[in-house]
């Protein structure tokens, strides 16, 4: 479901309302499978990465997390590109973000972590699952939209895609 939600949001932000049916895309196609495959690939990549750094020493774990955040921020534009059938890979994202490393770190790491912690600490007294679900859904929509806007800016600036 996350894949369908993310693709619909990316398509609406980047291509406009007309790019998805009235009720959104709900039948998976090769686009959705490619998006999901890249998501799984990225998810499975984190496990060995964190394990290696945590096994070296607990002190190296923060360094590993920072390196991982940097890499993920550089390759994450593949997701909005896949959502709009632009055909980017992780490698294409890496190339396109070469001159926009700080923007990518802020968009993919700093803003999401900051928003999550701000909302968490503001809403600690609220322990209602449904409210927490709605807040997380809203946050997800905002973060996907930020990634989409970042993609639009970099693709236009770099004449890429």
């Amino acid at each position: 479901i996350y894949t369908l939600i993310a693709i619909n949001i990316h398509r609406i932000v980047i291509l406009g309302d007309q790019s998805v049916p009235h009720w959104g895309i709900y039948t998976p196609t090769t686009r959705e499978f490619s998006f999901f495959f890249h998501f799984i690939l990225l998810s499975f990549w984190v496990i060995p990465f964190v394990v290696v750094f945590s096994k070296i020493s607990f002190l190296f774990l923060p360094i590993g997390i920072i390196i991982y955040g940097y890499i993920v921020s550089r390759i994450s534009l593949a997701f909005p590109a896949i959502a709009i059938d632009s055909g980017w890979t992780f490698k294409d994202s890496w190339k396109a973000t070469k001159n926009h490393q700080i923007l990518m770190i802020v968009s993919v790491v700093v803003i999401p972590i900051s928003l999550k912690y701000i909302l968490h600490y503001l809403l600690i007294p609220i322990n209602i699952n449904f409210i927490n679900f709605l807040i997380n859904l809203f946050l997800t929509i905002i973060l996907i939209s930020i990634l989409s806007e970042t993609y639009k800016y970099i693709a236009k600036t770099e004449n890429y895609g």
Side-chain angles (χ1 to χ4, degrees):
I1 291 179
Y2 172 81
T3 298
L4 293 175
I5 292 170
I7 288 173
N8 278 296
I9 294 168
H10 283 308
R11 290 183 68 80
I12 290 169
V13 171
I14 297 168
L15 301 174
D17 295 353
Q18 312 79 6
S19 63
V20 297
H22 183 70
W23 294 103
I25 299 167
Y26 53 89
T27 305
T29 64
T30 54
R31 173 194 319 125
E32 285 74 23
F33 288 116
S34 176
F35 192 98
F36 184 70
F37 171 75
H38 280 80
F39 183 76
I40 294 297
L41 188 65
L42 184 62
S43 299
F44 280 119
W45 185 73
V46 71
I47 295 167
F49 190 84
V50 171
V51 168
V52 166
F53 273 92
S54 65
K55 293 294 182 189
I56 293 172
S57 169
F58 185 71
L59 297 175
F60 284 107
L61 186 58
I63 295 168
I65 292 170
I66 290 168
I67 292 169
Y68 179 75
Y70 173 76
I71 293 169
V72 168
S73 71
R74 293 283 308 276
I75 64 176
S76 63
L77 290 187
F79 293 105
I82 292 167
I84 64 166
D85 301 317
S86 180
W88 285 22
T89 63
F90 288 145
K91 185 177 179 181
D92 295 318
S93 179
W94 187 268
K95 287 179 187 177
T97 59
K98 178 183 175 188
N99 299 322
H100 305 279
Q101 295 173 37
I102 293 173
L103 173 62
M104 291 308 301
I105 290 168
V106 169
S107 298
V108 176
V109 178
V110 175
I111 291 174
I113 290 173
S114 299
L115 286 176
K116 185 70 174 173
Y117 280 107
I118 289 169
L119 286 175
H120 174 73
Y121 286 113
L122 286 177
L123 302 171
I124 284 177
I126 299 175
N127 195 14
I128 301 170
N129 287 336
F130 182 69
I131 299 293
N132 288 332
F133 168 78
L134 290 177
I135 291 168
N136 285 325
L137 180 61
F138 175 74
L139 186 60
T140 299
I141 292 168
I142 295 298
L143 297 176
I144 291 170
S145 298
I146 290 170
L147 185 60
S148 295
E149 289 294 339
T150 305
Y151 170 83
K152 282 185 354 184
Y153 172 76
I154 290 176
K156 180 181 177 185
T157 303
E158 297 298 317
N159 290 322
Y160 205 98

